[in-house]
Amino acid sequence: MNPAYPFSAVVGLADLKLALVLNAVSSRVGGVLVRGEKGTAKSTIVRALAAQLPQVAVVAGCRFHCDPGAPDPRCPDGPHEPDAAGALRAASLVELPVGASEDRLVGSLDLERALTEGVKAFEPGLLAAAHRGVLYVDEVNLLHDHLVDLLLDAAALGVCYVERETVSIRHAARFLLVGTMNPEEGELRPQLLDRFGLTVEVRATREPDERAEVVRRRFAFDADPEGFAARWAAEEAALAARIARARAVLGSVRLPDSRLRQITAVCAGFEVDGLRADLVTAHAAVAHAAWQGRDVVTREDVRVAARLALPHRRRRDPFDAPGLDERLLDELLNQTEPAATDDHDPDDPGGPEDPDDSGGPGSGPGRPEAPDGSGDSGAGDGAPEVAPEGTPGGTTGAPEGSGSATGSGDRPQDVAAAGVPFRVPVLKVAGVGAGVAGRRSSGRGRHGRTIGTRVPTGAGPAAVDLPATLLAAAPHQLRRGRRGPGLVLKRDDLREPVREGREGNLVLFVVDASGSMGARRRMTAVKTAVLSLLLDAYQRRDKVGLIVFRGAGATVALPPTSSVEAGAARLRALPTGGRTPLAEGLATAAEVLRVERLRDPDRRPLLVVVTDGRATSGGDVTRAAAALAGVTSVVVDCESGPVRLGMAHALALRLGARVLPLESLGDLVRDRRKAG
C-alpha cells in the first residue's frame, strides 16, 4: 500500500498503515483520524486503501448497495427478494468535500412530490454511496460541527436517518471512516475526537536521503504510471489477500477475560472519559490478533490497540495536544499481566512471522516500529504543541524577530509565564450577522429560532416551512385546475424558514508587549487574561489572530486561524521589552482585517486591544484608530497602581470601544452570578 512513500520518509506512516488495516479487518474499530502536517501522504495512503479491500456483492440496481445475502429490510429501494440478483463491485471510496451541505451528506427528498403525492422520492447522499466502502473526509476539522455530528452518528450506529418535515427515511450506512486534519488549521473538539476509533500522528522526515527517495519514486510514477504500479502489484495483491484472511477468522478470535480486564485497567489508568475507549481498544486488539493470524488476544495486541486508541482521548484542556506516555502504558500492562495466562497456546509460538506485516517493514507480529525508532510514539509527532509556561517550545515558537528563543530550552528572563485561565464575560459584535454558525454574536443561518420565512434564493430550500408553503400555494388552486383533494404545488410556492441563532467571529488580539507591560509582573496577568479570552474563543467557535507590538513596530504573531492552540503557544512564548509603538499595532490590525474581509466577508471581527494606552514611539494613534472605525472593539486596560493616567480610556474613546479593566475580567462573571 502506498508504494510512492517509503516507510522511512514519513514518521508515523507505519502506524497509519496498521490503523487503516485494523479498520479494514473489523468495521467495529470505529475509523481513523490522521493528524499531521501538510504533504505527508495522508490522502495518498487513504486512497490506496480502497484498492486493497475485497470486492463486495450488491443487489443489482440498489442505490444503497444492499448485500444480496442479508439485504436491509428497511432499504428505501426495497424490500428486496431473498433471491435477488447480485453483482460484484469494488469497495467504494467516497470523498466528502469540506463545503458539502447536510443534504449532500445524508441525502435529500423531492419536496414537491412529497407534498403533492405523498411519495418518499429520496435522492441518496454520500453516506449511502459509502455503505460497505470507505468514506474519506479531508480536513475534517474544517467541517461544520453539525455535519461532523451527523457523520459520526452514522458511523457509530451504522444507520443514516433523514428527517424532512413529516417524512422519515433510514438506510444502512456502514463504512470505514477516515478523516485527515492539519492541527495548525484548528483542532477537533474533544467530544468529536472521542468518536474516532483510532488516531495517528504523521510528519515528514528531516533526513535528506529519505526525502530524495520520495522524489525519485514520484518521478518514476510520472514517467510510467502503469509500469510503476506493476512493480508493486504482487505486494498489493498479497496485502489484499491477507486482509481477506483476517476478516474471515475475525469471528473466531477469543478475547480472554484476563485481557479484557487488562484493557479496562489501562483505560482507567489513563483516566479517559466514558467507556468508548475500552470498547474501541478491545475491538482493535481482536482485529490485530486476527491480522497476526492468532486466535487469542495477547498482551502485544492490547498494547498496539491502546497506542492507537487512547492518545486523542487523553486531551483534557482545549490547549492540550493529544499524546500517550508509553512508559505509563508499559507499567499498567505489567501491573495487570496475568501470572498464568489463559490466552496462550503452548503449541503456537505467537502467530506467523510475516515480513509483510503492516506494522512496518520487518516489524513482524510485534509492535510496529519505523526505521528511525519513531514507531514507539503513537501520537504527538508533528502536532503543534502548547509550550510549557514561558517556554517557546513546540513547533510554533516565539514570534519572528522577537529574539526570545535561546535554543537551550531555558526560559528567557524577559518571557513571563501565564497563569491558569479563568472564565471571562461574553463579548459580542453588535447587530445581526450572516457568518458561519458559532456561539458568540447574533447571526442568521440554518440554525436557531425561526423569525420569518422567505423564498429560497438557491437551487432549492435548505428546509421547508410547511405552513408558509401551503399559504403561498392556496390562492392559486382554482387557476391551476385543482379538481381533487390533492394540492397543486409549484416550486415557486416553496418557502424556507429564516432562523436567527449565533455566529462565530474573528477575534483579533492586539497585545502590548513593551517594557512597561513587564513591570510589576503585569505581563503574567496579561497573558493569563488573553489565554482566558482564547479559551472563550475556542468554546464559541471563533477564528483568532494575534498581533504583538513592541520595540520598533508590530508583528503578526499568528495570522487569523481556527487553531487557538497555536495562539496559546505563541502567547506563552511572548517576550516583553522595548518602547511602545501603539499606532503600529493598530495599523497592523486594520490591514489584517482588510485582508480577512476579502477572504471571508461574512465573518465579522471583534478587536481586543490589550494595553495600558501608552504610546512612546511610532506614528499617530488617532489616525491609526480612525482606520478601525466601525469595528466592534474592546480595550483591556492594563494600567495598574494607585495613580492612573487613563490613557487606555482615551484610546477606547478613539476606537468607540468598551473598556474592561484587566483585574476585573474574572470578577465580572462572579459578580453577575451573585446578582442572579
Side-chain angles (χ1 to χ4, degrees), residues 319 399 421-422 424-428 440 505-513 523 525-550 554-572 574 582 584-593 596 604-611 628 631-638 651 655 660 662 665:
F319 302 138
F422 51 81
V424 296
V426 180
L427 306 178
K428 299 180 181 179
R440 184 174 296 278
N505 299 112
L506 165 61
V507 183
L508 183 61
F509 294 95
V510 182
V511 179
D512 183 351
M523 201 60 192
V526 168
K527 287 188 176 184
T528 304
V530 177
L531 196 65
S532 303
L533 291 165
L534 275 171
L535 178 59
D536 181 69
Y538 169 89
Q539 294 169 338
R540 298 186 187 281
R541 315 298 198 259
D542 295 316
K543 289 177 70 174
V544 296
L546 177 62
I547 294 171
V548 177
F549 60 94
R550 62 186 288 264
T555 303
V556 181
L558 182 72
T561 176
S562 296
S563 178
V564 295
E565 296 83 356
R570 303 288 173 96
L571 177 71
R572 283 172 167 153
L574 183 65
L582 176 58
E584 279 69 17
L586 298 178
T588 303
E591 177 60 19
V592 169
L593 294 180
E596 282 301 305
R604 299 187 295 160
L606 172 63
L607 182 68
V608 180
V609 184
V610 185
T611 181
L628 293 165
V631 177
T632 300
S633 304
V634 175
V635 174
V636 178
D637 183 4
C638 300
L651 174 63
L655 292 171
L660 291 177
L662 175 65
L665 278 179

Side-chain angles (χ1 to χ4, degrees), residues 420-583:
V420 178
F422 51 81
R423 289 195 62 183
V424 296
V426 180
L427 306 178
K428 299 180 181 179
V429 178
V432 180
V436 298
R439 294 184 176 179
R440 184 174 296 278
S441 306
S442 296
R444 290 178 182 171
R446 294 188 176 185
H447 305 281
R449 62 186 181 89
T450 300
I451 61 173
T453 62
R454 66 185 175 192
V455 177
T457 55
V464 172
D465 188 287
L466 186 57
T469 298
L470 297 178
L471 287 173
H476 308 291
Q477 296 306 297
L478 292 178
R479 181 168 54 82
R480 292 174 182 174
R482 174 183 173 184
R483 296 292 182 268
L487 187 68
V488 180
L489 190 72
K490 301 293 185 181
R491 181 166 293 276
D492 292 342
D493 300 326
L494 294 177
R495 298 291 184 271
E496 65 181 5
V498 176
R499 295 190 174 106
E500 185 172 306
R502 296 290 176 186
E503 66 173 1
N505 299 112
L506 165 61
V507 183
L508 183 61
F509 294 95
V510 182
V511 179
D512 183 351
S514 63
S516 64
M517 299 296 290
R520 297 187 295 277
R521 299 184 59 83
R522 189 185 303 173
M523 201 60 192
T524 294
V526 168
K527 287 188 176 184
T528 304
V530 177
L531 196 65
S532 303
L533 291 165
L534 275 171
L535 178 59
D536 181 69
Y538 169 89
Q539 294 169 338
R540 298 186 187 281
R541 315 298 198 259
D542 295 316
K543 289 177 70 174
V544 296
L546 177 62
I547 294 171
V548 177
F549 60 94
R550 62 186 288 264
T555 303
V556 181
L558 182 72
T561 176
S562 296
S563 178
V564 295
E565 296 83 356
R570 303 288 173 96
L571 177 71
R572 283 172 167 153
L574 183 65
T576 58
R579 298 176 69 84
T580 312
L582 176 58

